[in-house]
C-alpha cells in the first residue's frame, strides 16, 4: 500500500460575502476529504465556481482553511509556521493558469528562475549552467537566458514557470489549469512535458482542469467537484467508462466529442439550468435541483462519499 | 454531410485579403480566402488563436475593426436570388442587412450587452430599429416569446433584469435572442460558448441546432474546439495563419484529413472517450503574420515539408467531392 503524500480531511473554506446585519458566507469548499498518493496524478474537475482552485490553494496553504486539515507527508500543513512552513513551500508548489500574469515582466528569465533559490538561501556553484540545464529540461535553451517574459509565447512562458518550480526540486505540484490559456497544438506539448517530468523526478500532481479530455489524459484518478463538494472519485478509466453520480454522467454527456459519428450516437442526457450560488447552497444533495433522479430524501439529507466498488467513491443516495 | 440539399449559395467569399496596419508592421491576417456558405447549412470555421477566423466572420458584414482593412476581394450575398457585393454597399444599405438579415453572436456575452439597459429593452431595440414590430408594446411581447424560445427561465421577469443580474449562460441566451429577434437568414456565431461551462455549453449548442432546424437559418459557427465542430457542423473550413488549408464535409475532415495541419490538430486534442497513451503535439508555434513564412505558411512546422513548400504557396485544390486541400502533397 502506497502511503498518501497528501491527505485532506473535512476541509472547508468559507469566504465572507458582505451582508449587513447577518454575515453571509460563500461556501467555496465545504467539507471535502481525499488522498493523493505519492507519484500519482489526481485530476480535479468541475465547472467554474465549484471550488477546485480554492482546494488547490488550501492544500498549499496559500489561504487558510475555515476548518479541516491537510497532511503533507504526515505533517499538518494548516499548523505549520516559520521554518517548517518555508521548508514546505520548497516541497510543494503551483503552476498557475495564466502565464501572462504569473511572471514578473521586469525580470529576465535567469532572474525569474534564480529567485526561488535566493528566497530559500540555496547556493549553486554555476548559476548560469544550473538555469541553462533547467531550460533544456523544459524545452528551452541558453539563448533564452537573458530575455524578458514579453518576448515569449504563452506556451513558452508556461515552460518558464515550470522551470522556476523545478529549480527547487519539489515533490508535489498543483497544476491549476496549466494549459487552458494555450492553443491545442501547444497544449499537447506542455502536457507531454509535464508527464515526462513527472516520471523523471517522481513528482506528484494535483491536476485541476475543467477540460475532461485533458484530465483523462493526465490523471491516474479523478475527483469530480460540484458546488464545494466532491461527488465522485475513481480511477480515470473507470470514471469515464462507468460514471455513477448523475452529475458526472451529465458532465461526460455534455463534452463535445471530436468525432462526428460518436457525437451523433452519444446519449442525450441533458441537464437543465446552471449551478446554483454557493452562497445559499440547496439543502440535502447540492445537485438535487438539477438532478433527473432526485427523490425527497435527496432534498433533505446530504449523501456521504461512499465506496461502492473498489476504489470508486460516490456521494449519491442512488447507491 | 455535404448532402446535395445545400446547393443554393447564400454567401460567397471570393479572393478576400484583410490586412491590419499596425505600428509594428502590416499583419497579413487573411490572404486568398475563398469559400461559399450554402442556404440552410451549418458551416464551421476552426483554427487556433490568430488564424483569422473571427476576422473572416467580421468581413462578411463589413465590420472589420480598425486598423484592419479589407484590401481586396468580394463578399457576395444572395438577397432574394440577386447577388450583391456587401463590400460595395453604403453604410445605410448595410444597416438594413446587418442585425436583420445577417446577425452576429459574439463570444463574450458580458461585453455584448449594454450594462445600462434591461435586456428586454435591448432585444426590443433591435426590432424597433429594423421595423419588424410596430411599437414597443408589441416588441416586449415578442421579446418574452424569444426568451422562452431560447429556454430562458422565467422570461416575463427576466426582460426587466439588467445584464449584471443574469448568469453567464443566461446572458448568452439573451444575446442569442437579440440575434434571432429579426429572424436573420444568416446567423454568425463567433465562439458562442467558449466562455461557458460544459453543461451550459451543451444546452446552448442543442438550442442552436434546434433553431437552425426549425427556422431554416444558416449558421456560420466559429470555434477552436474540434469537439464542437464534430457536434455542430455540416461542412468545416480549417484555418491556419490566415489561409484555409482544408475545407470538407465534417465526416471527411475527421475520417480522412488530408492536410498535415488538420491531421496534427486531430491528434493533438485529447479525446475524452479514449485511453490515450501519448499525444502527438505539433512542434513549434504559430507564425508571426507580419513576416509570414514564404511558400506554405505551415511548412516550418510540417513533418512532410519539401523544397517547393518553402518557395511557393500551394493552391487550394479539390481532392474529393467537396473536399479541398491547400498542400503540395496533394497539388500534383
Amino acid at each position: 500500500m502506497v502511503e498518501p503524500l497528501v491527505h485532506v480531511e473535512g476541509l472547508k473554506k468559507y469566504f465572507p460575502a458582505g451582508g449587513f446585519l447577518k454575515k453571509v458566507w460563500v461556501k467555496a469548499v465545504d467539507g471535502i476529504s481525499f488522498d493523493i498518493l505519492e507519484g500519482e496524478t489526481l485530476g480535479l474537475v468541475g465547472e467554474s465556481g465549484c471550488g477546485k482552485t480554492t482546494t488547490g490553494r488550501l492544500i498549499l496553504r496559500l489561504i487558510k482553511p475555515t476548518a479541516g486539515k491537510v497532511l503533507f507527508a504526515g505533517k499538518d500543513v494548516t499548523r505549520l509556521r516559520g521554518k517548517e512552513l518555508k521548508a514546505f513551500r520548497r516541497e510543494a508548489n503551483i503552476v498557475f493558469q495564466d502565464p501572462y500574469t504569473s511572471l514578473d515582466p521586469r525580470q529576465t528569465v535567469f532572474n525569474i528562475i534564480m529567485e526561488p533559490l535566493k528566497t530559500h538561501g540555496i547556493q549553486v556553484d554555476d548559476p548560469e549552467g544550473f538555469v541553462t540545464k533547467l531550460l533544456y529540461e523544459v524545452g528551452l535553451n541558453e539563448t533564452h537566458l537573458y530575455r524578458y517574459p514579453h518576448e515569449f509565447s504563452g506556451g513558452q512562458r508556461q515552460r518558464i514557470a515550470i522551470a522556476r518550480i523545478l529549480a527547487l526540486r519539489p515533490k508535489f505540484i498543483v497544476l491549476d489549469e496549466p494549459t487552458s490559456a494555450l492553443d491545442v497544438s501547444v497544449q499537447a506539448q506542455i502536457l507531454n512535458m509535464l508527464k515526462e517530468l513527472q516520471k523523471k523526478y517522481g513528482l506528484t500532481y494535483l491536476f485541476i482542469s475543467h477540460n475532461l479530455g485533458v484530465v483523462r489524459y493526465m490523471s491516474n484518478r479523478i475527483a469530480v467537484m460540484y458546488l464545494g463538494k466532491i461527488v465522485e472519485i475513481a480511477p480515470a478509466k473507470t470514471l469515464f467508462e462507468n460514471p455513477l453520480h448523475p452529475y458526472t454522467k451529465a458532465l461526460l454527456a455534455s463534452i463535445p466529442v471530436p468525432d462526428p459519428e460518436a457525437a451523433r450516437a452519444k446519449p442525450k442526457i441533458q441537464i437543465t439550468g446552471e449551478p446554483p450560488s454557493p452562497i445559499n447552497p440547496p439543502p440535502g444533495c447540492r445537485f438535487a435541483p438539477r438532478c433527473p433522479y432526485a427523490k425527497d430524501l435527496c432534498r433533505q439529507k446530504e449523501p456521504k462519499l461512499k465506496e461502492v466498488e473498489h476504489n470508486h467513491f460516490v456521494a449519491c443516495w442512488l447507491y | 454531410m455535404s448532402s446535395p440539399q445545400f446547393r443554393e449559395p447564400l454567401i460567397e467569399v471570393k479572393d478576400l485579403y484583410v490586412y491590419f496596419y499596425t505600428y509594428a508592421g502590416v499583419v497579413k491576417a487573411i490572404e486568398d480566402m475563398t469559400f461559399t456558405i450554402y442556404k440552410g447549412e451549418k458551416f464551421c470555421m476552426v483554427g487556433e488563436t490568430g488564424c483569422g477566423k473571427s476576422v473572416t466572420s467580421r468581413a462578411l458584414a463589413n465590420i472589420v475593426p480598425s486598423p484592419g482593412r479589407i484590401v481586396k476581394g468580394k463578399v457576395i450575398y444572395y438577397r432574394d436570388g440577386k447577388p450583391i457585393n456587401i463590400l460595395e454597399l453604403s453604410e445605410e444599405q448595410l444597416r438594413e442587412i446587418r442585425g436583420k438579415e445577417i446577425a452576429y453572436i459574439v463570444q463574450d456575452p458580458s461585453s455584448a450587452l449594454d450594462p445600462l439597459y434591461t435586456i428586454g429593452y435591448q432585444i426590443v431595440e433591435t426590432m424597433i430599429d429594423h421595423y419588424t414590430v410596430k411599437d414597443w408594446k408589441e416588441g416586449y411581447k415578442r421579446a418574452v416569446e424569444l426568451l422562452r424560445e431560447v429556454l430562458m427561465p422565467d422570461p416575463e421577469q427576466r426582460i426587466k433584469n439588467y445584464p449584471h443580474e443574469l448568469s453567464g449562460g443566461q446572458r448568452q441566451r439573451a444575446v442569442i435572442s437579440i440575434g434571432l429577434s429579426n429572424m436573420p437568414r444568416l446567423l454568425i456565431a463567433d465562439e458562442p460558448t467558449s466562455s461557458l461551462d460544459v453543461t451550459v455549453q451543451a444546452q446552448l449548442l442543442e438550442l442552436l441546432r434546434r433553431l437552425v432546424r426549425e427556422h431554416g437559418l444558416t449558421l456560420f459557427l466559429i470555434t477552436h474546439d474540434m469537439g464542437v465542430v464534430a457536434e455542430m457542423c455540416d461542412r468545416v473550413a480549417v484555418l491556419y495563419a490566415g489561409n484555409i488549408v482544408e475545407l470538407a464535409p465534417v465526416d471527411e475532415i475527421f475520417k480522412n484529413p488530408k492536410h498535415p495541419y488538420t491531421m496534427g490538430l486531430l491528434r493533438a486534442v485529447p479525446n475524452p472517450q479514449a485511453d490515450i497513451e501519448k499525444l502527438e503535439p505539433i512542434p513549434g508555434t504559430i507564425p508571426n503574420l507580419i513576416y509570414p513564412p514564404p511558400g506554405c505558411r505551415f511548412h516550418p512546422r510540417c513533418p512532410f515539408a519539401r523544397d517547393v513548400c518553402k518557395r511557393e504557396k500551394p493552391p487550394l485544390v479539390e481532392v474529393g467531392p467537396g473536399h479541398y486541400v491547400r498542400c503540395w502533397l496533394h497539388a500534383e
Side-chain angles (χ1 to χ4, degrees):
Chain A
M1 178 72 198
V2 197
E3 273 298 294
L5 180 68
V6 180
H7 172 75
V8 176
E9 206 178 306
L11 196 62
K12 287 185 183 177
K13 180 68 189 179
Y14 296 175
F15 292 106
F20 179 52
L21 290 171
K22 207 171 141 243
K23 270 232 155 161
V24 181
W25 300 98
V26 175
K27 299 180 175 174
V29 172
D30 200 10
I32 57 169
S33 305
F34 59 89
D35 288 334
I36 306 174
L37 307 181
E38 186 136 23
E40 80 164 340
T41 300
L42 178 72
L44 191 57
V45 292
E47 299 181 278
S48 47
C50 72
K52 49 192 197 302
T53 294
T54 306
T55 304
R57 290 176 187 215
L58 284 169
I59 292 175
L60 295 179
R61 228 194 91 180
L62 298 177
I63 46 177
K64 278 203 154 188
T66 308
K69 58 182 176 184
V70 176
L71 300 186
F72 182 80
K75 276 192 191 146
D76 190 348
V77 170
T78 60
R79 286 167 201 280
L80 294 180
R81 322 182 65 183
K83 263 190 196 157
E84 279 189 316
L85 181 60
K86 205 166 170 186
F88 168 65
R89 297 249 177 272
R90 249 188 97 167
E91 292 188 321
N93 222 318
I94 182 165
V95 175
F96 294 102
Q97 172 171 4
D98 184 358
Y100 293 89
T101 56
S102 62
L103 301 176
D104 185 342
R106 303 187 10 162
Q107 298 292 331
T108 59
V109 169
F110 176 77
N111 284 337
I112 287 171
I113 295 177
M114 282 304 285
E115 184 161 14
L117 296 179
K118 285 187 195 140
T119 310
H120 287 277
I122 301 163
Q123 302 285 341
V124 283
D125 295 336
D126 169 21
E128 224 166 74
F130 176 80
V131 174
T132 307
K133 233 171 104 191
L134 282 169
L135 287 178
Y136 271 102
E137 208 70 86
V138 295
L140 299 172
N141 58 55
E142 63 273 8
T143 60
H144 299 115
L145 269 177
Y146 297 106
R147 296 220 214 146
Y148 290 89
H150 74 266
E151 299 175 66
F152 294 94
S153 67
Q156 289 173 316
R157 284 177 210 219
Q158 211 56 305
R159 290 171 191 270
I160 297 167
I162 292 163
R164 170 173 63 180
I165 288 173
L166 290 178
L168 291 173
R169 293 274 170 268
K171 284 187 185 154
F172 174 61
I173 302 178
V174 172
L175 299 160
D176 189 359
E177 305 257 13
T179 58
S180 57
L182 308 177
D183 274 317
V184 283
S185 70
V186 179
Q187 165 175 284
Q189 298 169 9
I190 300 285
L191 294 179
N192 282 347
M193 182 185 81
L194 286 168
K195 275 192 149 181
E196 278 156 29
L197 291 171
Q198 175 172 43
K199 231 185 263 162
K200 189 162 172 196
Y201 295 109
L203 295 167
T204 306
Y205 289 154
L206 175 65
F207 193 94
I208 300 172
S209 180
H210 68 278
N211 184 330
L212 288 134
V214 170
V215 166
R216 172 162 195 182
Y217 178 59
M218 292 298 291
S219 313
N220 303 103
R221 290 187 308 137
I222 297 174
V224 183
M225 266 186 103
Y226 185 74
L227 221 59
K229 297 270 185 195
I230 288 182
V231 297
E232 187 160 1
I233 305 185
K237 203 171 165 175
T238 318
L239 189 92
F240 276 86
E241 278 162 16
N242 182 25
L244 293 178
H245 197 282
Y247 176 64
T248 314
K249 286 183 189 170
L251 200 59
L252 295 181
S254 300
I255 340 168
V257 185
D259 175 354
E261 257 171 43
R264 281 188 285 265
K266 207 171 66 173
K268 293 260 178 284
I269 334 170
Q270 285 282 355
I271 50 168
T272 52
E274 290 167 51
S277 153
I279 295 182
N280 272 317
C285 171
R286 294 194 172 179
F287 186 60
R290 297 173 80 191
C291 180
Y293 311 104
K295 300 174 286 190
D296 281 345
L297 177 65
C298 307
R299 293 186 195 94
Q300 287 148 14
K301 240 180 123 203
E302 199 183 302
K304 293 264 169 295
L305 207 57
K306 198 173 117 191
E307 185 163 13
V308 289
E309 290 163 27
H310 178 62
N311 256 333
H312 193 157
F313 296 83
V314 59
C316 177
W317 287 118
L318 290 176
Y319 304 97
Chain B
M1 288 155 289
S2 73
S3 332
Q5 72 213 54
F6 309 121
R7 274 296 162 80
E8 209 180 321
L10 182 65
I11 290 257
E12 273 175 15
V13 174
K14 282 186 182 161
D15 202 25
L16 186 72
Y17 285 69
V18 182
Y19 289 176
F20 282 76
Y21 296 87
T22 67
Y23 288 113
V26 180
V27 180
K28 294 152 193 93
I30 290 173
E31 286 196 336
D32 189 16
M33 177 83 74
T34 299
F35 63 91
T36 306
I37 301 177
Y38 296 96
K39 234 179 238 173
E41 75 169 340
K42 298 184 290 268
F43 184 77
C44 243
M45 210 163 239
V46 67
E48 301 180 281
T49 319
C51 70
K53 52 193 193 303
S54 290
V55 177
T56 307
S57 76
R58 281 167 196 254
L60 293 195
N62 203 357
I63 43 170
V64 174
S66 172
R69 227 171 16 199
I70 297 172
V71 186
K72 75 178 203 194
K74 281 187 194 158
V75 177
I76 309 287
Y77 169 57
Y78 287 87
R79 199 183 198 186
D80 309 318
K82 273 204 296 283
I84 33 178
N85 186 353
I86 295 241
L87 305 182
E88 281 170 357
L89 295 181
S90 68
E91 264 313 296
E92 253 159 61
Q93 289 171 310
L94 266 174
R95 207 169 301 142
E96 277 176 33
I97 294 176
R98 281 186 206 140
K100 187 175 184 193
E101 296 176 27
I102 299 180
Y104 207 93
I105 299 171
V106 292
Q107 171 169 11
D108 179 6
S110 348
S111 59
L113 293 167
D114 188 328
L116 296 179
Y117 293 94
T118 61
I119 61 152
Y121 180 93
Q122 297 183 53
I123 297 171
V124 182
E125 190 187 20
T126 328
M127 294 188 278
I128 294 280
D129 276 357
H130 289 289
Y131 313 107
T132 40
V133 288
K134 62 176 194 294
D135 54 19
W136 284 85
K137 203 173 152 209
E138 191 196 331
Y140 273 107
K141 251 201 209 147
R142 180 90 184 95
V144 172
E145 285 166 24
L146 280 166
L147 287 176
R148 188 167 291 129
E149 173 141 31
V150 300
L151 304 176
M152 176 84 90
D154 203 5
E156 288 86 354
Q157 294 308 309
R158 289 293 90 78
I159 56 165
K160 298 175 199 155
N161 286 138
Y162 289 88
H164 76 269
E165 297 174 289
L166 306 178
S167 70
Q170 289 176 341
R171 272 183 223 152
Q172 196 58 298
R173 287 177 202 272
V175 172
I176 293 177
S177 346
I178 295 175
L180 286 177
S181 59
N182 293 313
M183 273 309 146
R185 300 174 65 210
L186 176 66
L187 188 64
I188 303 174
D190 186 356
E191 305 259 14
T193 55
S194 311
S195 56
L196 305 171
D197 280 323
V198 277
T199 56
V200 181
Q201 163 170 295
Q203 296 169 35
L204 285 176
L205 292 180
E206 175 56 37
L207 171 71
L208 284 175
R209 271 196 295 262
R210 204 193 75 216
L211 291 170
V212 170
R213 205 168 54 229
E214 288 176 3
H215 298 291
L217 300 181
T218 305
L219 181 69
F220 180 29
L221 183 77
I222 289 150
T223 180
H224 66 277
D225 185 336
M226 285 310 245
V228 172
V229 172
E231 300 227 334
M232 292 298 291
C233 300
D234 301 310
R235 286 192 310 135
V236 202
V238 181
L239 257 67
Y240 182 77
N243 288 137
I244 290 182
V245 294
E246 189 158 5
L247 195 161
V250 69
D251 290 87
E252 273 288 294
I253 284 277
F254 283 88
K255 264 194 231 132
N256 192 14
K258 294 276 191 224
H259 197 282
Y261 176 66
T262 314
M263 296 192 251
L265 208 55
L266 288 171
R267 276 198 300 260
V269 185
N271 183 346
Q273 289 199 332
D275 245 342
I276 305 164
E277 204 33 60
K278 196 161 165 55
L279 288 177
E280 293 173 48
I282 303 172
T285 51
I286 42 180
N288 176 343
L289 292 186
I290 295 178
Y291 308 105
C296 170
R297 287 185 173 184
F298 187 61
H299 87 254
R301 304 176 74 184
C302 182
F304 309 107
R306 293 174 299 174
D307 273 350
V308 58
C309 307
K310 294 170 194 162
R311 284 193 322 265
E312 271 174 77
K313 188 174 178 153
L316 197 64
V317 292
E318 188 164 9
V319 291
H323 192 158
Y324 298 84
V325 185
R326 187 189 291 284
C327 178
W328 284 119
L329 290 178
H330 304 284
E332 282 121 40

